[in-house]
Amino acid sequence: MSEAVSEAVTMLKNGEVVALPTETVYGLAADAFNAEAVAKVFEAKERPSFDPLIVHVSSADELNEVAKVPEDVEKTVQKLISAFWPGPLTLVLPKSDKVPDIVTSGLPDVAVRQSGNKIFREIGKELGRPIAAPSANRFGRISPTAGSAVMKELEGRIPLIVDGGACRDGLESTIVRVEAGEKRPIIHILRLGPVTKKELQNFGRVIIEKKRVIDEHPKVPGQLASHYAPVTPLLMFDKPEDFVPEEGKKYGLLSHKGDPKAGYIDLHEWAMVESLSPGSGKLPEAAVRLFHVLRVLDEAGLDAIVAEPVSDTGLGQAIMDRLRRASLPSS
Ligand code: TXA
Ligand code: MG
């Protein structure tokens, strides 16, 4: 066991919070059964208490400790777990009594996943208890996909960041709720992510929840409207020509492939241009780089960032979801 792993485990056992790498984004971890430790997560993130946390399990046994899988969806849940765990799929299931209410914000359901990150898995196994971990950013801000980004978000607020390098996927997990349907099971996507609608269609009828809930106690908290937001305003347009720059302002472009044919690069004299997938031009590269590039642009002292859309299919749906939410003003 590495020193970082044993230090993290000791801290978690002592009711401390630590930032850990996962394959999606960095998480701010606490022992899920320790309500006081979980309270520290909310405090460090300045997260409102109505927004519940995801619980990370290390095994099927641990899943049964935190959730009660309803009989009518048991088969589908099993199939989803076999197909996608460990990995970026989170299941919303009825919670067990062992999970403190603070974890689920008083909801009867708990969101559960098993992370595929090697360091995270080692820590979970060694701890022997489920880990509650939201993304390791301040509330509403850009999720960190590198140890250095966690530092910028939470330095001075938490005692330990385990740096596991860049995250493999770069986008938060896909969150689903499974319902028994008449003919086929129904899989509701509550948050788009690395596991795509198409992949889930092998297991049931898939519905993407479009609701943008912004009331005090959202039913689907993962759907908070403004999220993943840089401090610098982020602008999106239906067509490049809709962008009308204001005199004297500095604009940065978040381009998809850096390709002039998309119509944005030659539109304006940008103070800065960053591309999501300059190498492959493919969506996985864009997903991995999205939050990093948003951070780079956010730190450049621009008046606004214009984001070129990516194709709204497959992984692109999850990327567009993040861009749209980042472009909404926070209320
Ligand atoms: O990839 C991920 O999921 C990362 C890594 C660290 O695992 N975690 C993450 O956590 O993105 P967080 O807290 O930033 O986002 C979790 C989302 C929140 O929007 C929350 O509202 C929603 O999951 N959520 C948690 N519990 C829920 C529940 N019981 N019902 C519906 N939504 C829930
Ligand atoms: Mg988050």
Side-chain angles (χ1 to χ4, degrees), residues 258-323:
D259 180 0
K261 274 191 244 132
Y264 280 84
I265 287 186
D266 296 333
L267 195 66
H268 181 68
E269 240 173 78
W270 305 100
M272 189 173 183
V273 177
E274 289 286 330
S275 294
L276 284 179
S277 42
S280 65
K282 300 240 164 76
L283 290 167
E285 185 188 6
V288 165
R289 284 174 49 80
L290 176 66
F291 291 139
H292 166 69
V293 168
L294 272 177
R295 253 171 220 286
V296 169
L297 286 160
D298 199 19
E299 285 163 11
L302 302 163
D303 291 301
I305 303 162
V306 174
E308 192 180 295
V310 307
S311 69
D312 212 346
T313 54
L315 195 50
Q317 275 194 307
I319 298 171
M320 283 300 283
D321 170 69
R322 303 306 189 274
L323 285 175

Side-chain angles (χ1 to χ4, degrees), residues 22 24-28 45 47 51-54 56 90 92 103-104 107 109-111 113 133-135 137 143 171-173 175 177 190-191 219-223 227:
T22 85
T24 57
V25 300
Y26 276 73
L28 183 58
K45 277 187 60 111
R47 184 179 177 111
D51 198 8
L53 309 185
I54 292 178
H56 300 70
T90 298
V92 173
V103 173
T104 63
L107 293 175
D109 296 327
V110 62
R113 81 175 187 102
S135 52
N137 50 280
S143 297
L171 290 180
E172 305 86 349
S173 62
I175 305 181
R177 179 197 299 279
L190 308 185
R191 178 175 71 183
K219 271 206 207 74
V220 187
Q223 296 287 33
H227 226 102

